[in-house]
Amino acid sequence: MRHRSLLILTTGITAGAMALSACGSRDDSGGGGDSDKTTVVIGLDAPLTGDLSALGQGIKNSADLAVKTANKNEEVKGVTFKLVALDDAGQAGTGQQNATKFVGNDDVYGVVGPLNSHVGESMQKVLGNANLVQVSPANTAPQLSQGPNWQKGDKKRPFDTYFRTSTTDAVQGPYAAQYVYNEMKLKKAFVIDDKKTYGAGLASTFKKEFTKLGGKVVATDNVNPEDRDFSAIATKVKNSDADFVYFGGEYPAGAPLTDQISRAGAKIPVVGGDALFSGEYISLAKKKAEGDLATSVGAPLETLDTAKEFMKNYKAAGYKLPYEAYGGYSYDSTWAIIQAVKAVVEENDGKLPGDVDDARKQITEAMNDVSFKGVTGDVGFDEFGDTTNKQLSVYKVEKGEHKPVKTGTFEE
Amino acid sequence: MQGLPEQLANGLILGAMYGLIAIGYTMVYGIVQLINFAHGEIFMIGGFGALTAWLWLPDGTSLMVALPLMILMAMMCSVLVGIGAERLAYRPLRGGPRLAPLITAIGLSIALQQAIWAFYPGAKKDRSFPRFSGGPVEIGGITLQRGEIFLLIAAPLCMIALAVFVSKTRTGRAMQATSQDPDTAKLMGINTDRIIVTAFAIGAAFAAIAAVAHGLKFGQVSFRMGFIAGLKAFTAAVLGGIGNIYGAMIGGLVLGLTEAMATAYMSNVPGMQQFGGGAWKDVWAFVLLILVLLFRPQGILGERVADRA
């Protein structure tokens, strides 16, 4: 039976090839530094290539800007900061490898990133065991800081090294539900998610709040994040009498989804979280994105006085790509690490403790007390490592741009 | 069964696309017994060829005017890569153990994918593809996109052209002879090398048409699109009976319909709610493949051939 065994073999090899091609990252770390100054490396992990690279590059550039600013102003005397960026391509496994690399590099005293919650989940264990502090600008899954049983009210912080400057989906989904139900008066939802940590979490918190308010979820469905064919689901949406679609997922699937839903003939908006709040969403879905809504953490940077200088400096630095949804948070995350290093250096008579493990531990502890006026407002962390700044905004796509329509703080 | 006609149309359209790509797999397998795993990437390159043609044209060109040029360019790119692959990657290994060209095919597939990723400007993200202006068209209560209509016209035309070519022309008959027995065909004066190249070229041309249809339907092309599409088309070819060109089309349609039906109605089946989502469509497609291989290993239209041990 050579014929059949060849088929089986082929299928096996294909699966292997799929797994292999998903890996692979670029390492651009390098040594060097001034002789009389200590070099503190801040590691950065984000998807620098692939579908989500627009967001990832914005994170990297903004962190780079924070590091350059700190060096220019001599924010910490006797310390030169250096950014080492690694690419996780949105893959949890690659993120974990990168975390291991950071742990192994004795010059790394803090890590900024990642973008994706599922990547954050795999990284925090590695970094937690090494006492290496991590500040994510974009992870929004609540269990990362509040433990797996947060929904039942049993909040427990899994890793003392994990912090984030973005607020969580525990408020983002409900915030969208309140806006859609109370202000747009839409009562019937079709909920779709992509089964990832972020998307499924967002969809479930949305559903809970929306039904609590009195809204009705007429149907639910899920998709694969790498799918681009949603014709069958689009037809289902059209034939349901839903007023809008809530999508828990990211823009690479979200853009074709909204496109195909409106092409199928359903003239209803798609509402989603911060992963739809990207220029790429609009440029992929073109006119079909008009009227769609996205919530995002924080207030629109354009309206904050604290962000004006960041935006000016970002422009002046001449980065090729925009800072995107998480630029301000990434700058603040990096700045938080710089502040923690500063606190430790000041405690230790102007230098870092000689022992790496000791220094990392002290920096992690110092992070709990970090507080400063950042790009996105007041930056500080609560007992779970979550940001104390719980502002959120709703954006609507109008004439090919995300226009802020509401900013506020979530209230139960 | 809400919206059944529309879901059937969705399945048929998707299936026609799988079928068009599957023809390339099946023809090459029928003649040289090689599963050309780089075929998905030949499809993907067709998409980028069409996109390039569109970008070369002046802004504001109507898609109706541009389309023939885009198809031509897509076919040229795909056929060139297909023939090149045959000449450089597979021919040197012909006559060797069967595993060697298979592994080469997988390597070639990754190489082509990465080449586009690395060298095509902006291909690291999804590139948007031009689409027909104007809204959907209603035909008998079924909403169809203009891009889908292109596919619904192109797929049967391609099939008819291929059927005529294989049964009526000299080259087509030589192709049949080669697929039956390459050695005897050679003794009869058929240039089998040329026939093999022709099979690669026709398969690539069909993949290119499918790629244009894919771009028009989804409005984007990406360097990764060949992988899943290729895998689905391979499945379609096996379903239909690999080596049989009509089987490839039927296998594609069955696969497309399975995916659409599973997404639309599986959650209505009692006890199947948790398996009903769109994320499960690939699972059901491969369950179907396994069932066919278990009970009819030669595929739907395949013939049982004696094993050559």
Side-chain angles (χ1 to χ4, degrees):
Chain A
M1 299 297 282
R2 268 183 88 175
H3 177 87
R4 234 201 296 179
S5 55
L6 188 67
L7 280 181
I8 292 164
L9 183 74
T10 310
T11 318
I13 293 177
T14 314
M18 180 153 44
L20 270 181
S21 64
C23 309
S25 66
R26 228 143 294 225
D27 187 356
D28 52 358
S29 61
D34 295 358
S35 49
D36 54 332
K37 279 189 158 185
T38 320
T39 302
V40 167
V41 172
I42 295 177
L44 180 129
D45 176 275
L48 304 177
T49 60
D51 289 337
L52 296 164
S53 59
L55 296 172
Q57 292 286 352
I59 289 174
K60 182 187 148 195
N61 291 345
S62 307
D64 183 61
L65 184 65
V67 164
K68 279 186 181 146
T69 311
N71 288 340
K72 205 176 86 189
N73 302 349
E74 291 195 58
E75 184 67 26
V76 186
K77 284 230 159 33
V79 173
T80 311
F81 290 98
K82 189 169 168 256
L83 191 77
V84 170
L86 296 182
D87 178 16
D88 65 27
Q91 307 279 341
T94 316
Q96 200 166 28
Q97 286 166 16
N98 292 348
T100 315
K101 274 189 204 166
F102 288 138
V103 168
N105 181 345
D106 282 349
D107 292 334
V108 176
Y109 291 97
V111 174
V112 176
L115 168 71
N116 304 85
S117 291
H118 68 282
V119 182
E121 211 163 13
S122 74
M123 285 180 79
Q124 61 172 194
K125 298 171 186 143
V126 179
L127 299 174
N129 291 339
N131 267 320
L132 185 54
V133 74
Q134 169 185 23
V135 187
S136 168
N139 289 166
T140 49
Q143 67 265 36
L144 293 178
S145 56
Q146 301 172 4
N149 299 322
W150 63 275
Q151 237 161 345
K152 293 176 202 135
D154 177 21
K155 293 184 183 176
K156 220 175 116 204
R157 186 175 180 181
F159 295 97
D160 290 337
T161 47
Y162 183 82
F163 296 84
R164 58 175 142 199
T165 51
S166 63
T167 191
T168 67
D169 300 331
V171 294
Q172 206 184 144
Y175 192 72
Q178 287 182 351
Y179 181 81
V180 173
Y181 189 86
N182 293 335
E183 303 195 19
M184 294 178 73
K185 311 278 179 216
L186 301 179
K187 312 288 179 199
K188 281 176 283 185
F190 195 114
V191 181
I192 302 172
D193 73 67
D194 68 356
K195 299 190 304 174
K196 279 164 76 170
T197 311
Y198 165 79
L202 201 58
S204 89
T205 56
F206 170 85
K207 251 190 305 202
K208 207 169 152 199
E209 180 74 15
F210 192 67
T211 42
K212 202 177 99 192
L213 289 168
K216 193 169 168 252
V217 175
V218 293
T220 57
D221 213 315
N222 43 47
V223 298
N224 292 321
E226 61 283 352
D227 254 1
R228 296 297 175 263
D229 170 54
F230 304 114
S231 45
I233 286 183
T235 303
K236 267 166 96 174
V237 170
K238 183 194 150 197
N239 291 329
S240 73
D241 56 348
D243 298 326
F244 68 101
V245 171
Y246 189 84
F247 178 58
E250 290 150 6
Y251 68 76
L257 181 70
T258 190
D259 176 90
Q260 288 171 39
I261 285 173
S262 71
R263 276 174 196 275
K267 300 273 172 272
I268 56 175
V270 172
V271 183
D274 52 334
L276 299 190
F277 177 53
S278 163
E280 288 289 309
Y281 178 74
I282 301 170
S283 78
L284 281 174
K286 302 232 172 67
K287 279 189 188 134
K288 307 293 175 193
E290 285 292 301
D292 287 356
L293 299 168
T295 52
S296 188
V297 289
L301 285 187
E302 292 73 18
T303 67
L304 288 172
D305 286 337
T306 45
K308 293 230 166 79
E309 210 189 318
F310 166 74
M311 283 154 61
K312 202 181 80 201
N313 292 341
Y314 193 94
K315 216 172 158 194
Y319 296 113
K320 264 195 251 157
L321 293 161
Y323 50 81
E324 287 276 349
Y326 304 105
Y329 292 95
S330 176
Y331 187 95
D332 285 350
S333 300
T334 317
W335 202 253
I337 293 177
I338 292 168
Q339 290 302 317
V341 170
K342 187 180 181 181
V344 173
V345 167
E346 279 170 5
E347 285 272 299
N348 278 283
D349 310 319
K351 53 180 189 296
L352 277 175
D355 183 46
V356 182
D357 296 329
D358 205 26
R360 282 178 178 174
K361 203 167 172 191
Q362 288 188 32
I363 291 170
T364 303
E365 276 160 17
M367 188 62 84
N368 286 305
D369 303 320
V370 160
S371 165
F372 61 94
K373 263 211 169 327
V375 174
T376 56
D378 291 324
V379 176
F381 303 100
D382 64 12
E383 72 266 36
F384 299 106
D386 283 332
T387 175
T388 46
N389 181 351
K390 304 233 191 266
Q391 272 194 323
L392 289 153
S393 303
V394 179
Y395 297 83
K396 187 175 188 177
V397 181
E398 268 172 10
K399 300 202 184 85
E401 252 182 273
H402 274 115
K403 297 260 168 64
V405 290
K406 193 190 175 196
T407 296
T409 309
F410 173 73
E411 279 152 42
E412 296 266 337
Chain B
M1 299 291 261
Q2 202 183 16
L4 182 64
E6 284 189 312
Q7 294 292 15
L8 285 174
N10 285 336
L12 282 177
I13 289 159
L14 197 61
M17 200 174 74
Y18 292 156
L20 271 185
I21 313 171
I23 284 169
Y25 272 104
T26 239
M27 282 179 71
V28 167
Y29 185 86
I31 291 172
V32 278
Q33 266 82 51
L34 160 72
I35 294 165
N36 177 15
F37 255 107
H39 191 62
E41 270 57 48
I42 290 172
F43 158 79
M44 178 268 290
I45 280 168
F48 277 93
L51 179 68
T52 312
W54 171 256
L55 295 175
W56 279 351
L57 288 165
D59 283 345
T61 313
S62 153
L63 189 54
M64 284 310 247
V65 182
L67 197 57
L69 207 73
M70 286 163 67
I71 296 173
L72 207 69
M73 182 75 177
M75 285 168 120
M76 259 169 56
C77 293
S78 289
V79 168
L80 267 176
V81 173
I83 293 176
E86 196 277 330
R87 189 71 194 81
L88 300 173
Y90 301 136
R91 196 179 293 180
L93 295 169
R94 199 174 299 150
R98 266 217 228 162
L99 201 52
L102 179 69
I103 292 167
T104 308
I106 292 168
L108 185 66
S109 148
I110 294 171
L112 288 173
Q113 205 182 92
Q114 294 300 314
I116 291 288
W117 179 87
F119 300 118
Y120 196 92
K124 291 183 179 65
K125 293 183 286 185
D126 295 353
R127 290 284 317 242
S128 62
F129 197 86
R131 301 176 89 146
F132 288 110
S133 53
V137 188
E138 290 250 350
I139 300 172
I142 299 171
T143 322
L144 285 179
Q145 308 311 323
R146 283 160 203 260
E148 293 173 346
I149 295 173
F150 167 78
L151 183 63
L152 288 178
I153 297 170
L157 277 183
C158 287
M159 276 313 289
I160 293 168
L162 184 64
V164 170
F165 173 79
V166 171
S167 57
K168 295 280 189 289
T169 65
R170 258 183 98 81
T171 320
R173 284 200 298 269
M175 205 173 251
Q176 288 186 42
T178 312
S179 102
Q180 271 176 16
D181 189 338
D183 295 332
T184 317
K186 214 176 218 167
L187 291 176
M188 297 295 128
I190 292 171
N191 183 345
T192 46
D193 277 344
R194 223 194 62 207
I195 295 300
I196 292 166
V197 171
T198 313
F200 269 89
I202 293 174
F206 279 24
I209 292 170
V212 174
H214 181 280
L216 291 172
K217 178 167 160 59
F218 298 125
Q220 59 190 63
V221 287
S222 94
F223 73 97
R224 276 187 269 89
M225 75 188 206
F227 186 77
I228 294 288
L231 201 61
K232 290 283 171 64
F234 166 64
T235 310
V238 175
L239 264 181
I242 196 153
N244 184 316
I245 53 171
Y246 306 104
M249 210 59 193
I250 288 182
L253 293 178
V254 169
L255 190 67
L257 285 171
T258 308
E259 288 191 4
M261 294 301 113
T263 311
Y265 305 113
M266 192 56 89
S267 57
N268 300 351
V269 179
M272 288 295 217
Q273 279 85 354
Q274 69 267 43
F275 306 126
W280 283 82
K281 66 177 187 188
D282 294 351
V283 175
W284 297 119
F286 288 110
V287 165
L288 175 79
L289 175 67
I290 292 167
L291 288 177
V292 168
L293 284 179
L294 274 178
F295 296 108
R296 204 181 148 75
Q298 68 271 39
I300 298 168
L301 289 192
E303 290 158 41
R304 187 172 280 283
V305 278
D307 281 316
R308 279 174 285 179

